[in-house]
Amino acid sequence: MTPATQPDQLLNALNWRYATKAFDTMALPVPLWEALQESLRLAPSSYGLQPWKFFVITDPAVRAKLRPVSWNQSQITDASHLVVIARRTEITEDDVNAFFNQMVSERQANATVLEPYRQMMIGGVVKGKDAAGQREWAARQCDIAWVSLLTSAAVLGVDTCAIEGLDAASI
Ligand SMILES: Cc1cc2nc3c(=O)[nH]c(=O)nc-3n(C[C@H](O)[C@H](O)[C@H](O)COP(=O)(O)O)c2cc1C
């Protein structure tokens, strides 16, 4: 097979990536940002349920408010783009059904044939987990999304920093 990217190019990009501590004020070119947004949207998740919301915080006033509750880290105000990844706190049967109906409609699939898949999702995520289990599951899916974003950014030569150093309860 012919790889879309050469192995050495990929490894160069991954070796180049580092947790950037200080950003300049240069705005990311729009095509780069649009591709990175897509990397979030295209991130895989268990069953495809995507139990997340991505917030792109553009208002400088909001970013200034977030900084003190993020260990005063300068990346919060200075990076070209600030993405907050929020997990769903609850996954209900209605959520599964909405996803299932959309999937059936977009794929023009047969709902009866796919019914076992719907049952599997309900058994696995809705009925098979308690509230804490659902939140933990959703957080793990979010981890996949941000890793996808950071890896994609590295491939494009865009600096990033994951930020867990924040007081989520204050936000
Ligand atoms: C989940 C997670 C949370 C992180 N939170 C912060 C953070 O709040 N501030 C920061 O400067 N770096 C943060 N980092 C960056 C790590 O400290 C960094 O990835 C690690 O030291 C390895 O360095 P490298 O990414 O430059 O290879 C975080 C990384 C991860 C994976």
Side-chain angles (χ1 to χ4, degrees):
M1 75 178 263
T2 310
T5 301
Q6 293 305 313
D8 63 325
Q9 289 176 310
L10 174 66
L11 293 178
N12 284 344
L14 295 179
N15 272 309
W16 171 85
R17 187 208 60 77
Y18 64 101
T20 306
K21 304 299 175 195
F23 287 87
D24 61 25
T25 52
M26 196 184 86
L28 199 55
V30 170
L32 292 184
W33 169 244
E34 285 179 346
L36 293 177
Q37 254 185 325
E38 280 297 274
S39 77
L40 279 171
R41 198 182 64 79
L42 294 170
S45 60
S46 180
Y47 303 106
L49 274 166
Q50 303 180 316
W52 52 48
K53 265 206 172 164
F54 307 129
F55 295 91
V56 184
I57 315 294
T58 53
D59 184 344
V62 174
R63 289 173 67 158
K65 274 191 190 163
L66 288 173
R67 182 165 164 168
V69 289
S70 309
W71 299 0
N72 200 30
Q73 298 189 74
S74 65
Q75 298 98 319
I76 297 291
T77 48
D78 298 353
S80 171
H81 287 72
L82 175 65
V83 180
V84 174
I85 299 182
R87 67 176 165 181
R88 292 289 303 269
T89 52
E90 187 190 15
I91 294 99
T92 65
E93 196 158 337
D94 283 349
D95 295 327
V96 169
N97 289 341
F99 167 68
F100 182 79
N101 292 337
Q102 186 186 359
M103 186 181 72
V104 166
S105 156
E106 284 184 9
R107 296 186 187 177
Q108 299 182 321
N110 184 322
T112 310
V113 171
L114 287 179
E115 176 59 17
Y117 188 60
R118 192 185 75 82
Q119 293 293 345
M120 198 164 70
M121 289 189 279
I122 288 175
V125 179
V126 180
K127 296 189 174 153
K129 294 190 194 311
D130 60 12
Q134 282 194 345
R135 285 198 295 275
E136 184 271 339
W137 173 82
R140 280 194 286 113
Q141 311 312 310
C142 292
D143 286 345
I144 297 167
W146 69 254
V147 171
S148 175
L149 175 66
L150 263 60
T151 306
S152 303
V155 170
L156 292 177
V158 173
D159 283 325
T160 54
C161 187
I163 298 278
E164 206 174 38
L166 48 82
D167 175 12
S170 309
I171 294 176

Short mmCIF file of all heavy atoms in Angstrom, two decimals, residues 41-52 99 117 137-138 140-142 144-145:
data_model
loop_
_atom_site.label_atom_id
_atom_site.label_comp_id
_atom_site.label_asym_id
_atom_site.label_seq_id
_atom_site.Cartn_x
_atom_site.Cartn_y
_atom_site.Cartn_z
N ARG A 41 -14.71 17.09 15.02
CA ARG A 41 -16.01 16.55 14.59
C ARG A 41 -15.88 15.09 14.14
O ARG A 41 -16.79 14.29 14.33
CB ARG A 41 -16.57 17.41 13.45
CG ARG A 41 -18.04 17.24 13.20
CD ARG A 41 -18.50 18.08 12.02
NE ARG A 41 -17.90 17.70 10.76
CZ ARG A 41 -18.28 16.67 10.02
NH1 ARG A 41 -19.27 15.90 10.42
NH2 ARG A 41 -17.68 16.39 8.87
N LEU A 42 -14.73 14.77 13.54
CA LEU A 42 -14.55 13.43 13.00
C LEU A 42 -13.99 12.43 14.01
O LEU A 42 -13.77 11.26 13.69
CB LEU A 42 -13.61 13.49 11.78
CG LEU A 42 -14.16 14.25 10.57
CD1 LEU A 42 -13.06 14.47 9.53
CD2 LEU A 42 -15.33 13.51 9.95
N ALA A 43 -13.76 12.89 15.23
CA ALA A 43 -13.16 11.99 16.23
C ALA A 43 -14.07 10.80 16.49
O ALA A 43 -15.29 10.95 16.57
CB ALA A 43 -12.92 12.76 17.54
N PRO A 44 -13.48 9.63 16.63
CA PRO A 44 -14.32 8.46 16.92
C PRO A 44 -14.82 8.46 18.35
O PRO A 44 -14.20 9.07 19.23
CB PRO A 44 -13.37 7.28 16.68
CG PRO A 44 -12.01 7.83 16.90
CD PRO A 44 -12.06 9.29 16.54
N SER A 45 -15.95 7.81 18.56
CA SER A 45 -16.45 7.62 19.93
C SER A 45 -17.18 6.28 19.98
O SER A 45 -17.61 5.77 18.94
CB SER A 45 -17.40 8.76 20.34
OG SER A 45 -18.51 8.80 19.46
N SER A 46 -17.31 5.76 21.18
CA SER A 46 -17.95 4.46 21.35
C SER A 46 -19.38 4.51 20.79
O SER A 46 -20.14 5.43 21.10
CB SER A 46 -17.97 4.14 22.85
OG SER A 46 -18.57 2.90 23.07
N TYR A 47 -19.71 3.58 19.95
CA TYR A 47 -20.99 3.49 19.22
C TYR A 47 -21.20 4.67 18.27
O TYR A 47 -22.21 4.74 17.60
CB TYR A 47 -22.20 3.44 20.17
CG TYR A 47 -22.18 2.32 21.18
CD1 TYR A 47 -21.90 2.57 22.52
CD2 TYR A 47 -22.47 1.00 20.81
CE1 TYR A 47 -21.90 1.56 23.46
CE2 TYR A 47 -22.47 -0.02 21.74
CZ TYR A 47 -22.18 0.26 23.06
OH TYR A 47 -22.18 -0.74 24.00
N GLY A 48 -20.32 5.65 18.30
CA GLY A 48 -20.55 6.88 17.54
C GLY A 48 -21.46 7.86 18.29
O GLY A 48 -21.98 8.81 17.69
N LEU A 49 -21.60 7.67 19.59
CA LEU A 49 -22.59 8.47 20.33
C LEU A 49 -22.14 9.90 20.63
O LEU A 49 -22.96 10.74 21.02
CB LEU A 49 -22.96 7.76 21.64
CG LEU A 49 -24.09 6.72 21.50
CD1 LEU A 49 -24.16 5.84 22.74
CD2 LEU A 49 -25.43 7.39 21.28
N GLN A 50 -20.86 10.17 20.51
CA GLN A 50 -20.34 11.54 20.65
C GLN A 50 -20.89 12.27 21.88
O GLN A 50 -21.55 13.31 21.75
CB GLN A 50 -20.65 12.36 19.39
CG GLN A 50 -20.09 11.71 18.13
CD GLN A 50 -20.39 12.50 16.88
OE1 GLN A 50 -21.52 12.98 16.70
NE2 GLN A 50 -19.43 12.64 16.02
N PRO A 51 -20.60 11.77 23.08
CA PRO A 51 -21.19 12.39 24.27
C PRO A 51 -20.43 13.63 24.72
O PRO A 51 -19.93 13.70 25.85
CB PRO A 51 -21.08 11.25 25.31
CG PRO A 51 -19.83 10.54 24.91
CD PRO A 51 -19.73 10.64 23.41
N TRP A 52 -20.32 14.61 23.83
CA TRP A 52 -19.50 15.78 24.11
C TRP A 52 -20.10 17.02 23.48
O TRP A 52 -20.98 16.95 22.62
CB TRP A 52 -18.09 15.57 23.55
CG TRP A 52 -18.03 15.14 22.10
CD1 TRP A 52 -18.68 15.69 21.02
CD2 TRP A 52 -17.27 14.05 21.57
NE1 TRP A 52 -18.37 15.03 19.87
CE2 TRP A 52 -17.51 14.01 20.17
CE3 TRP A 52 -16.40 13.11 22.11
CZ2 TRP A 52 -16.91 13.06 19.32
CZ3 TRP A 52 -15.82 12.16 21.26
CH2 TRP A 52 -16.07 12.14 19.89
N PHE A 99 -29.86 9.64 18.24
CA PHE A 99 -28.69 9.27 17.45
C PHE A 99 -29.05 8.16 16.46
O PHE A 99 -28.70 8.21 15.27
CB PHE A 99 -27.56 8.81 18.38
CG PHE A 99 -26.43 8.11 17.68
CD1 PHE A 99 -25.60 8.81 16.81
CD2 PHE A 99 -26.21 6.75 17.87
CE1 PHE A 99 -24.56 8.16 16.15
CE2 PHE A 99 -25.18 6.10 17.21
CZ PHE A 99 -24.36 6.80 16.35
N TYR A 117 -28.60 -3.11 17.33
CA TYR A 117 -27.56 -2.12 17.63
C TYR A 117 -28.09 -1.08 18.62
O TYR A 117 -27.42 -0.69 19.57
CB TYR A 117 -27.09 -1.46 16.32
CG TYR A 117 -25.89 -0.56 16.47
CD1 TYR A 117 -24.68 -1.06 16.94
CD2 TYR A 117 -25.95 0.78 16.12
CE1 TYR A 117 -23.57 -0.24 17.07
CE2 TYR A 117 -24.85 1.61 16.25
CZ TYR A 117 -23.67 1.10 16.72
OH TYR A 117 -22.57 1.92 16.85
N TRP A 137 -17.50 7.25 31.39
CA TRP A 137 -17.50 6.81 29.99
C TRP A 137 -17.43 8.03 29.05
O TRP A 137 -16.65 8.05 28.10
CB TRP A 137 -18.76 5.98 29.73
CG TRP A 137 -18.96 5.61 28.30
CD1 TRP A 137 -18.38 4.56 27.63
CD2 TRP A 137 -19.79 6.28 27.33
NE1 TRP A 137 -18.79 4.55 26.32
CE2 TRP A 137 -19.66 5.58 26.12
CE3 TRP A 137 -20.63 7.38 27.38
CZ2 TRP A 137 -20.33 5.96 24.96
CZ3 TRP A 137 -21.29 7.77 26.23
CH2 TRP A 137 -21.14 7.05 25.05
N ALA A 138 -18.24 9.04 29.37
CA ALA A 138 -18.26 10.23 28.52
C ALA A 138 -16.91 10.93 28.54
O ALA A 138 -16.42 11.42 27.51
CB ALA A 138 -19.38 11.18 28.96
N ARG A 140 -14.02 9.57 28.96
CA ARG A 140 -13.06 8.82 28.14
C ARG A 140 -13.26 9.11 26.65
O ARG A 140 -12.31 9.18 25.88
CB ARG A 140 -13.19 7.31 28.41
CG ARG A 140 -12.47 6.88 29.68
CD ARG A 140 -12.32 5.38 29.76
NE ARG A 140 -13.56 4.70 30.09
CZ ARG A 140 -14.24 3.89 29.28
NH1 ARG A 140 -13.80 3.64 28.07
NH2 ARG A 140 -15.36 3.31 29.67
N GLN A 141 -14.50 9.30 26.25
CA GLN A 141 -14.74 9.64 24.84
C GLN A 141 -14.14 11.01 24.52
O GLN A 141 -13.55 11.23 23.46
CB GLN A 141 -16.24 9.64 24.50
CG GLN A 141 -17.01 8.41 24.96
CD GLN A 141 -16.35 7.10 24.59
OE1 GLN A 141 -15.97 6.90 23.43
NE2 GLN A 141 -16.17 6.22 25.56
N CYS A 142 -14.28 11.93 25.48
CA CYS A 142 -13.72 13.28 25.28
C CYS A 142 -12.20 13.22 25.14
O CYS A 142 -11.61 13.99 24.39
CB CYS A 142 -14.12 14.21 26.42
SG CYS A 142 -15.87 14.59 26.44
N ILE A 144 -10.56 11.01 23.68
CA ILE A 144 -10.26 10.65 22.28
C ILE A 144 -10.33 11.89 21.40
O ILE A 144 -9.49 12.10 20.52
CB ILE A 144 -11.25 9.57 21.79
CG1 ILE A 144 -11.09 8.30 22.62
CG2 ILE A 144 -11.04 9.28 20.30
CD1 ILE A 144 -12.21 7.29 22.44
N ALA A 145 -11.33 12.74 21.67
CA ALA A 145 -11.50 13.93 20.84
C ALA A 145 -10.31 14.87 20.96
O ALA A 145 -9.79 15.38 19.95
CB ALA A 145 -12.80 14.64 21.22
#
